[in-house]
Amino acid sequence: MRLSESADGTGPVAIIVRVDGDEAVERLHQGLIELSRVEEVRCCRYAGGWLLTACGVANADPDPLLRTVGAVVDQFDSKAEVIDVRRGASELPAGEEGFRLSERFMVTGGNAAVDASTIRLDAAHVFGTGAHASTKLAVQAMEEVAGREEGFPARALDVGTGSGILALVAARLGGAHVLGIDICEEALAVAWRNILANGLRGQVSLASTPLAELTERYGMVIANVTASVLLRLAEGIVNRLESGGWLIVSGLQGRQGEEMEEALSLYGLQTVARYADGKWRCLTLRYLPTV
Ligand SMILES: C[S@@+](CC[C@H](N)C(=O)[O-])C[C@H]1O[C@@H](n2cnc3c(N)ncnc32)[C@H](O)[C@@H]1O
């Protein structure tokens, strides 16, 4: 079992265990709580069964925790299975009860019903549970564009779609043609399941096409990727923006926010809004080319 990279690479290690059956979940929960390396055990309903999340202490080596949790889980044979190991308690999957993504949206897991203010999501092993600050800031920025007089653009591009969460939000906010791209095939498979689960296949499509090979232009491009990826993709992103189009960039940390503003201004992008949550930064920019 590999340790999934979280966006910040710090925080407590979380071992996520799928469990079948109410009796098994109770006994396993008790067994995990008693482990000295486990700080907290969370429990939620998930896809007809349960998810238990055993959290260790911040910055600890994941291996000893995984060994002790794995030994308890093995006693349950096929009724329980370790399905993921993550760094960062904020990146835990949603249960059916869900959590708040933004002022407007809730994220729910499992088979919860969907409506105009719900995103049903199973991020599986890929990025984009909706719990990370960089995703939440991007959603806030998208909602603010949607609240403007001209409304949300009809055509939007989500670069690095992961689970598809931001593409789904774009569609719910009014994007009629939303394209999500990612270099990770697994992410695209997960995102496709999420599009179907939210009834948005008519509005959202996916591609593994590299950004540089896209030819259409968009009224909004959203990119929640690291600063280094963003700098590499900057020119390609600008080439996909309509004149007057919006660019929302998230996943920046600390001073990277200001540095990115400076770098993007050279392409004719003007900063319209800045968002921050702890060390995380997000920007809304508008493409206003001079010629
Ligand atoms: C931090 S995740 C964001 C996931 C989701 N959009 C969210 O906001 O929660 C970044 C995603 O970008 C993808 N990615 C990285 N480099 C990329 C590139 N050059 N082109 C497209 N996707 C890329 C990764 O595979 C990953 O799924």
Side-chain angles (χ1 to χ4, degrees), residues 127-128 135 160-162 165-166 181-184 224-225 229 233:
F127 283 106
T135 312
T161 199
I165 183 163
L166 297 179
I181 62 168
D182 206 293
I183 49 172
C184 169
N224 177 13
V225 292
V229 171
L233 298 181

Side-chain angles (χ1 to χ4, degrees), residues 48 70 80 88 109 131 142 154 161 166 172 190 208 228 250 257:
M142 291 163 79
T161 199
L166 297 179
R172 288 254 193 271
V190 169
S208 57
S228 57
S250 199

